């Protein structure tokens, strides 16, 4: 099956395949590690994860590079305010970022590149640009890219910059979205700032050159796909193209993959609106990492996702339903005969699942195909008409599904626990909901002990004690289910 994907550069849906016949070389802009990641950031990283996981499912090996921006205006400002070095400052957030990716079951890219460890490639690229008069040095010792030398400027964002004023400059990383100005490649140091002594003079790299240099270092002058959130299209990605293509005279990235921004409860997420959430905020409030992953990926990457707490509750239920179904299929006692109708439903679901993802990564349709199977499968299990091959086929579809969606394995309690441990270390336990704190007060072993004690109490006809234990556990969000095979418990 060929993978069709929208390409921002051409404005069309096009086939995506490794141009070197080996690996799909892709670069995704990574985080600026100056704070904890928010759910908008993670929506983008998760959609890139869906893409790479689907490539693998289709037998394509990704060679995926992600940068860590560990020096920029904000980092320098925040580190100075905290009175620590920039590396000390960024290490903390970089570590937190990878912990969060882990909790969200995001696979690690093959290559992770820190900007501060790639200064020589950035310097070499700027020198190459300078040799072609595409870069110039200003009086203060900074270097700028000369936009007037790149007539294709604007080709990605489709902005018309025909009236470019030669020499108009900007030195901040984020600037006016409607104007084209020469941007900083290398910034002369301000007093007290971290600086590198290089052939360009002392200073530090601009943000855009980082990505051009690191992408080229690992993937070559030309590679298959470049990804990021939609906000990066201009100026960041436009600038990457201008720098890289001016230096190499080759097409930088063939495919450009942009993830639409997320809204929260219908509005732009912002601290001042009070609708700004990091992953940790949500875990501390008792939301499950798997449900957050499911919600952030279930709306296709080119559609606007409106994150709501109702939506999150619905996804918690959806994940639960999938896990229960998975358990049921695994434990099914096979009927003597195969069920032809179910076999057809299963094959259809598998086909629709793959076709949906191959069609511009339509996660909503892929997910719907799986829930069709859950419905048909549950009905057949209830009727006792699932044959051995039926069960194996359903498990195979669930396996494909989970290679991309990655929600079946239940590690939710572990991630909540980790968030609580972090909150405790940071003196932020007050942000956790009372229920989460109460639940976490009990380890799995302690819960099992209480459950066993209750069973003993019931056997001894001490119903008062048995009820007392049930209530105590319920208060801590632990639910008990009596069944003929004993008592099962789960965290709410
Ligand atoms: P940053 O750490 O700010 O450089 O952002 C990391 C990634 O998250 C980039 O690809 C951004 O485009 C993306 N991003 C930031 N905010 C949002 C949002 N609200 N929705 C989706 N992606 C976002
Ligand atoms: Zn970038």
């Amino acid at each position: 099956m060929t993978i069709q994907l929208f390409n921002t550069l051409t404005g069309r849906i096009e086939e995506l395949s490794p141009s070197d016949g080996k690996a799909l070389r892709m670069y995704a802009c990574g985080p600026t590690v100056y704070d904890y990641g928010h759910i908008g950031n993670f929506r983008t990283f998760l959609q890139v994860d869906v893409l790479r996981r689907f490539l693998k499912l289709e037998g394509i090996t990704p060679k995926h590079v992600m940068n860590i921006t560990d020096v920029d205006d904000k980092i320098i400002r925040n580190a100075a305010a905290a009175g620590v070095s920039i590396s000390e400052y960024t290490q903390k957030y970089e570590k937190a970022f990878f912990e969060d990716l882990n909790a969200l079951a995001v696979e690690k890219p093959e290559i992770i590149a820190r900007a501060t460890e790639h200064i020589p490639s950035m310097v070499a690229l700027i020198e190459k640009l300078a040799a072609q008069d595409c870069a110039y040095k200003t009086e203060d010792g900074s270097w700028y890219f000369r936009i007037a030398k790149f007539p294709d400027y604007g080709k990605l964002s489709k902005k018309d910059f025909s009236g470019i004023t030669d020499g108009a400059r900007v030195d901040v990383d984020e600037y006016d979205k409607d104007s084209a100005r020469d941007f900083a490649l290398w910034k002369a140091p301000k007093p007290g700032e971290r600086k590198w002594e290089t052939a360009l003079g002392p200073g530090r790299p601009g943000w855009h050159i980082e990505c051009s240099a690191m992408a080229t270092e690992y993937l070559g002058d030309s590679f298959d796909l470049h990804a990021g959130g939609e906000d990066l299209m201009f100026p960041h990605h436009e600038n990457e193209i201008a720098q890289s293509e001016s230096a190499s005279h080759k097409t930088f990235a063939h495919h450009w993959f942009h993830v639409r921004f997320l809204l929260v409860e219908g509005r732009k997420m912002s601290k001042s609106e009070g609708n700004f959430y990091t992953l940790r905020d949500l875990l501390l409030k008792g939301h499950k990492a798997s449900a957050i992953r499911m919600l952030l990926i279930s709306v296709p990457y080119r559609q606007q996702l409106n994150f709501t707490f109702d939506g999150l509750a619905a996804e918690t239920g959806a994940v639960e339903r999938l896990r229960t179904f998975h358990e049921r299929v695994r434990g099914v006692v096979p009927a003597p005969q195969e069920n032809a109708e179910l076999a057809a439903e299963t094959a259809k679901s598998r086909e629709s699942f793959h076709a949906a993802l191959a069609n511009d990564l339509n996660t909503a349709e892929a997910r719907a195909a799986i829930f069709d199977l859950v419905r048909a499968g549950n009905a057949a299990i209830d009727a006792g008409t699932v044959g051995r091959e039926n069960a194996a086929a359903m498990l195979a579809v669930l396996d494909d599904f989970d290679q991309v969606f990655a929600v079946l394995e239940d590690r939710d309690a572990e991630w909540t626990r980790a968030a609580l441990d972090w909150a405790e270390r940071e003196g932020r336990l007050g942000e956790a909901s009372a229920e989460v704190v109460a639940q976490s007060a009990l380890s799995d072993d302690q819960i099992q002990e209480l459950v066993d004690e209750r069973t003993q109490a019931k056997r001894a006809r001490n119903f008062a004690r048995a009820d007392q234990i049930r209530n105590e556990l319920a208060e801590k969000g632990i639910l008990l289910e009596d069944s003929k095979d004993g008592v099962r418990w789960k965290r709410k």
Side-chain angles (χ1 to χ4, degrees), residues 364-469:
E365 273 181 22
R367 165 204 169 103
I370 296 304
F371 276 100
D372 285 346
L373 178 66
V374 173
R375 228 165 288 127
N378 272 329
I381 295 172
D382 291 342
T385 58
V386 177
R388 189 176 301 279
E389 282 172 32
N390 286 136
M394 288 195 287
L395 284 178
V397 178
L398 285 175
D399 190 53
D400 278 7
F401 161 78
D402 209 47
Q403 288 194 40
V404 178
F405 279 70
V407 292
L408 292 182
E409 191 191 358
D410 187 354
R411 297 181 67 183
D412 291 319
E414 189 185 327
W415 305 127
T416 304
R417 171 84 256 162
L420 276 167
D421 288 347
W422 161 80
E424 198 164 2
R425 284 197 304 277
E426 294 280 318
R428 294 173 66 164
L429 260 186
E431 293 168 32
S433 74
E435 203 180 42
V436 171
V437 175
Q439 254 193 52
S440 77
L442 289 178
S443 69
D444 287 5
D445 288 347
Q446 286 169 318
I447 296 170
Q448 194 56 52
E449 257 169 46
L450 282 167
V451 171
D452 291 344
E453 192 192 330
R454 175 171 167 270
T455 309
Q456 295 296 335
K458 272 171 71 177
R459 264 192 214 130
R461 308 194 68 76
N462 182 356
F463 297 113
R465 174 64 186 145
D467 285 348
Q468 190 189 22
I469 293 173

Side-chain angles (χ1 to χ4, degrees), residues 3-8 10 12-16 51 225 255-257 301-302 357-361:
I3 301 176
Q4 303 290 326
L5 200 68
F6 184 78
N7 181 357
T8 315
T10 58
R12 284 192 305 266
I13 292 193
E14 292 170 358
E15 186 181 337
L16 178 70
L51 172 63
L225 179 131
H255 235 103
W256 285 84
F257 176 87
Y301 75 97
R302 279 208 291 147
L357 290 177
N359 178 17
D360 201 19
L361 234 46

Side-chain angles (χ1 to χ4, degrees), residues 27 29 67 207 211 226 232 236-237 240:
Y27 184 92
C29 293
N67 66 296
W207 170 38
C211 287
H226 196 313
L232 300 188
H236 183 53
H237 291 162
E240 282 188 47

Side-chain angles (χ1 to χ4, degrees), residues 234-253:
F234 182 83
H236 183 53
H237 291 162
E238 203 73 70
N239 291 353
E240 282 188 47
I241 292 177
Q243 299 162 149
S244 303
E245 298 193 354
S246 296
S248 73
H249 305 281
K250 289 186 195 137
T251 302
F252 180 48

